């Protein structure tokens, strides 16, 4: 059996009820005390710990006069499962605030893997039948699981609309915490698999324009050279879409322009460097026939490919126009896609304001040409956005270190090749 399949199998076969027992025993150091907290018999808790050790092929506790002391492996797993249970507890408390009765507090203790998986699958797919197929169960079984989950939540989680059934606000609240809890448990299993020499550690990165052209590819290459067992998933999108994925633990962090003062309180940012824009056009553009660099007023005489409204790049453009007293250029196309911006520039006389790193390959190939030097007043921070309460996995720590190195290399490249002074 391939190692990736083996690690996936191990993860699937350790039930949440078993992991819950491991976490509580690790916290209190005693099977007897854990049994009281879990409302189970001591023998059932003992069997749960033994089942976890058997499935994982690792000793999770040292048994002695001091009670049950977690091994290093047990500590790692218990930490992640404990965080998952805290997230489910936060979900239950949020349901209480949304009208659920006090009995909803039992949800973290009673909910199962299958119920959480049913919720995530239903949220991911347009219909119950598609969600059931993704899980390999019947539609009836999925429907019953969702009803059981609503019973534990003690509050409706779905609402009927003209286009079908969808999660209501309480359901979306529970879904966000369920996804985060599932991610914590997945990380715990990946860490243990890594210790055993198995592959399967995953890092999922959300990328904004410029980051997916330079920073993330370079960081991935650096990280894989050091730790080749890491598997990457890279997802592009708008800032709003990526922050939704970040909050639901579908991605581990976002790389790209920072929001700084506009950052939501549940997120935190790390500045990698300060970038400055240049205006770029196609080779052979009429602007290039003149001597020297074009001014903003000269650039504004041509159509522009502009950034999306509300983005840092759009605010930079407005700030630049205000500073020099120029009218805002005629933005005929607003685009987020790097590929679309590139194609429009190459096809006509449009101008775009970009980081020198953003279109580096096209500039080096002679397809695009800087029409201006680095424009003062166009500074923006480039960096990493994470959930404030996140605890990075070992794989994420390695990739974050690689990103910092890639950013330092980018700063040197901007300074040496393009004459841009990017601040670290």
């Amino acid at each position: 059996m391939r190692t990736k399949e083996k690690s996936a199998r191990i993860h699937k076969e350790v039930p949440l009820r078993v992991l819950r027992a491991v976490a509580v025993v690790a916290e209190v150091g005693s099977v007897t005390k854990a049994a009281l907290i879990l409302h189970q018999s001591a023998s059932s808790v003992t069997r749960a710990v033994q089942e976890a050790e058997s499935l994982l092929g690792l000793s999770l506790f040292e048994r002695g006069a001091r009670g049950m002391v977690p091994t290093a492996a047990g500590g790692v797993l218990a930490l992640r499962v404990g965080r998952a249970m805290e997230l489910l507890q936060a979900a239950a408390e949020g349901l209480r605030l949304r009208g659920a009765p006090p009995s909803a507090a039992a949800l973290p203790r009673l909910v199962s893997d299958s119920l959480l998986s049913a919720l995530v699958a239903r949220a991911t797919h347009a219909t119950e039948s598609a969600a059931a197929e993704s899980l390999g169960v019947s539609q009836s079984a999925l429907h019953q699981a969702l009803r059981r989950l609503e019973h534990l939540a003690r509050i409706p989680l779905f609402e009927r609309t003209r286009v079908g059934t969808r999660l209501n606000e309480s359901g979306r609240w529970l879904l966000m915490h369920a996804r985060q809890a599932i991610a914590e448990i997945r990380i715990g299993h990946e860490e243990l698999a890594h210790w055993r020499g198995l592959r399967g550690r995953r890092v999922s990165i959300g990328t904004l324009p410029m980051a997916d052209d330079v920073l993330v590819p370079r960081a991935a290459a650096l990280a894989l050279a050091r730790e080749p067992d890491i598997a990457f998933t890279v997802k592009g999108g708008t800032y709003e879409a990526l922050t939704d994925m970040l909050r639901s633990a579908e991605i581990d962090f976002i790389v790209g322009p920072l929001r700084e003062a506009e950052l939501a309180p549940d997120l935190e940012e790390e500045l990698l460097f300060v970038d400055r824009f240049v205006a770029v056009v196609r080779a052979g553009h009429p602007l290039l026939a003149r001597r020297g660099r074009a001014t903003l007023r000269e650039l504004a005489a041509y159509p522009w490919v502009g950034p999306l409204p509300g983005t840092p790049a759009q605010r930079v453009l407005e700030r630049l126009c205000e500073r020099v007293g120029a009218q805002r250029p005629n933005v005929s196309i607003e685009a987020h896609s790097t590929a679309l911006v590139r194609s429009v520039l190459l096809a006509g006389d449009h101008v775009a304001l970009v980081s020198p790193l953003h279109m580096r390959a096209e500039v080096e190939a002679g397809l695009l040409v800087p029409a201006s030097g680095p424009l003062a007043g166009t500074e923006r921070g480039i960096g990493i956005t994470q959930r404030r309460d996140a605890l990075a996995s070992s794989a994420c720590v390695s990739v974050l270190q690689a990103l910092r190195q890639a950013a330092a290399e980018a700063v040197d490249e901007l300074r040496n090749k393009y004459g841009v002074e990017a601040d670290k």
Side-chain angles (χ1 to χ4, degrees):
M1 181 180 294
R2 289 177 296 176
T3 54
K4 185 175 181 180
E5 293 174 342
K6 188 174 182 181
S7 63
R9 179 182 63 79
I10 289 172
H11 184 188
K12 183 177 179 180
E13 290 185 2
V14 183
L16 181 56
R17 61 171 180 79
V18 170
L19 296 173
R20 190 185 292 117
V22 169
V24 175
V25 171
E27 180 182 2
V28 300
S30 163
V31 167
T32 303
K33 293 178 181 178
L36 292 174
I37 294 171
L38 293 168
H39 303 282
Q40 298 178 12
S41 67
S43 60
S44 65
V45 173
T46 298
R47 286 195 298 272
V49 172
Q50 292 171 342
E51 181 178 352
E53 292 179 322
S54 175
L55 289 171
L56 294 170
L58 291 167
S59 176
L60 300 177
F61 292 94
E62 294 178 357
R63 284 85 165 165
R66 294 181 299 165
M68 302 277 284
V69 179
T71 62
V76 167
L77 182 61
L79 172 64
R80 292 296 176 176
V81 177
R83 286 175 59 84
M85 299 311 298
E86 289 172 359
L87 287 162
L88 294 176
Q89 186 62 51
E93 292 169 359
L95 294 176
R96 289 280 310 278
L97 294 175
R98 289 162 173 78
S103 54
L107 184 145
R109 180 170 54 86
L110 300 176
V111 73
S112 66
D113 314 72
S114 60
L115 299 188
L116 296 180
S117 297
L119 177 65
V120 172
R122 184 62 185 89
T124 305
H125 295 85
T127 64
E128 275 194 2
S129 59
E133 183 178 356
S134 72
L135 294 175
V137 300
S138 67
Q139 182 176 345
S140 174
L142 177 74
H143 185 80
Q144 291 174 11
L146 295 174
R147 298 290 77 79
R148 288 197 297 273
L149 184 61
E150 275 192 322
H151 177 72
L152 289 178
R154 299 293 195 268
I155 193 172
L157 301 176
F158 296 88
E159 60 186 6
R160 290 191 175 276
T161 70
R162 289 180 298 175
V163 295
T165 302
R166 67 179 184 183
L167 288 170
N168 60 22
E169 201 277 332
S170 295
R172 292 191 297 272
W173 169 262
L174 180 57
L175 173 67
M176 180 179 71
H177 288 78
R179 280 177 163 156
Q180 290 182 11
I182 290 170
E184 290 290 345
I185 293 171
R186 171 184 59 78
I187 291 170
H189 283 280
E190 288 177 1
E191 301 288 29
L192 296 189
H194 180 58
W195 282 10
R196 298 178 59 195
L198 302 177
R199 300 176 66 89
R201 290 187 300 164
R202 287 179 281 163
V203 175
S204 184
I205 306 173
T207 61
L208 294 165
M210 192 276 288
D212 54 1
D213 286 295
V214 179
L215 290 181
V216 170
R218 177 57 179 156
L222 289 169
L224 288 171
R226 299 166 187 162
E227 301 189 50
D229 70 304
I230 298 175
F232 286 88
T233 299
V234 180
K235 300 181 180 182
T238 64
Y239 183 81
E240 291 72 22
L242 291 177
T243 52
D244 285 344
M245 285 190 271
L246 184 62
R247 290 188 173 102
S248 293
E250 296 174 77
I251 56 177
D252 296 302
F253 50 84
I254 301 170
V255 185
L258 303 178
R259 288 315 193 254
E260 299 174 335
E262 299 176 6
L263 183 69
D266 62 324
L267 305 178
E268 63 181 11
E269 294 179 334
E270 176 187 344
L271 176 67
L272 293 175
F273 63 93
V274 176
D275 195 17
R276 289 174 174 82
F277 285 101
V278 297
V280 296
V281 296
R282 65 171 175 83
H285 192 285
L287 272 169
L288 301 177
R290 62 181 305 283
R291 292 184 178 181
R293 298 295 193 180
T295 66
L296 183 61
R297 288 184 177 85
E298 291 170 328
L299 292 166
Y302 293 87
W304 278 50
V305 184
L308 295 180
T311 61
Q314 190 236 16
R315 287 189 286 275
V316 162
L317 177 59
E318 292 178 347
R319 206 164 56 232
L320 179 62
C321 294
E322 291 173 1
R323 190 181 65 81
V324 301
Q327 284 190 334
R328 191 174 186 270
N330 174 29
V331 178
S332 59
I333 300 175
E334 293 177 339
H336 174 81
S337 165
T338 298
L340 178 59
V341 174
R342 181 187 299 115
S343 297
V344 172
L345 290 176
L346 293 173
D349 289 341
H350 278 75
V351 178
L353 202 63
V354 302
S355 163
L357 293 172
H358 198 177
M359 301 291 178
R360 179 184 63 174
E362 289 76 11
V363 170
E364 291 180 348
L367 299 174
L368 297 178
V369 181
S372 74
L375 297 167
T378 63
E379 297 81 6
R380 63 171 181 171
I382 304 298
I384 301 163
T385 304
Q386 301 182 75
R387 294 200 326 269
R388 191 172 293 277
D389 61 354
L391 178 62
S393 67
S394 63
C396 278
V397 168
S398 296
V399 176
L400 290 171
Q401 291 172 344
L403 271 169
R404 297 180 188 109
Q405 180 179 342
E409 293 175 358
V411 168
D412 291 338
E413 180 176 335
L414 288 171
R415 181 181 298 115
N416 298 330
K417 185 176 291 187
Y418 298 97
V420 180
E421 287 296 324
D423 303 324
K424 294 182 182 179

